[in-house]
Each structure stands twice: as C-alpha cells, then as structure tokens.
Amino acid sequence: PSNGMENWPPEWQPITNRITTLPFLTKHRAWLEDLDWWKTLDELFTSCPVSLDILLTQAVAYCQSEGYVPRTKAAIRKKLKNCMEFSARRSEREAQNKRDRARATT
C-alpha cells in the first residue's frame, strides 16, 4: 500500500524525509500525509529564515522532550503547528537582532 506521500512534489522531499525517518513522526505517518495541510504551514513560514523541515525537527525534539503522545490527527497537527510557529518566531527575532547588531557596528 502507498504511504500517501508518493505523489508529493520534489520540493516537499525534506518533509517526507522527516516523516519517514524520525521515529516520533513515523509512528503517526498516516496522520501527517495530507500535503494540503503542510502547504498551509509553508505559507505561514515564508518569512522565516529557517526551513520548514528544520522547524519540524525542532518541534519533534520538543514533543519528545516533553513526552507528548498525540491521541488524534488533529492533536498532533495542532501541537506540531504550535511548536513550529514558536520556533519560527524565535528564528525571526534572532535574525532581526543579528541584522540590528550588524547595522549598529557599521
């Protein structure tokens, strides 16, 4: 049987790689196969200096450190989205601070 991701476009390969190799995500792969859901996240993070797959990896690390165990598809999606949004905002702030420091030294 197909894993539901075989027809994803090549640009989404980093996400499929994470889903199929990170044990936390692999366990819930069927809940994460909806490319349309991932595309909504991509639109959210277009201004983020960190790629979506890196944000996903950070979200997984946080979920694992907290011992999070999702019970539904909606729950895992909400948790991952919240964690990725937090990491994205932190990355944006860090990038802005770096730019501000660079301007201050010139």
Side-chain angles (χ1 to χ4, degrees), residues 16-61:
T16 61
N17 287 344
R18 297 297 187 270
I19 293 171
T20 58
T21 60
L22 294 174
F24 179 82
L25 297 176
T26 301
K27 288 187 282 189
H28 308 292
R29 173 174 54 217
W31 292 347
L32 300 170
E33 293 177 345
D34 182 3
L35 180 59
D36 290 336
W37 182 75
W38 288 102
K39 286 180 179 179
T40 64
L41 297 178
D42 187 50
E43 291 172 15
L44 273 171
F45 301 120
T46 55
S47 66
C48 183
V50 178
S51 65
L52 189 58
D53 62 309
I54 298 300
L55 294 173
L56 178 59
T57 302
Q58 293 171 347
V60 167

Side-chain angles (χ1 to χ4, degrees), residues 48 55 58-59 82-92:
C48 183
L55 294 173
Q58 293 171 347
N82 287 343
C83 291
M84 289 187 292
E85 284 179 338
F86 178 81
S87 289
R89 299 306 160 256
R90 184 180 62 218
S91 296
E92 289 169 355

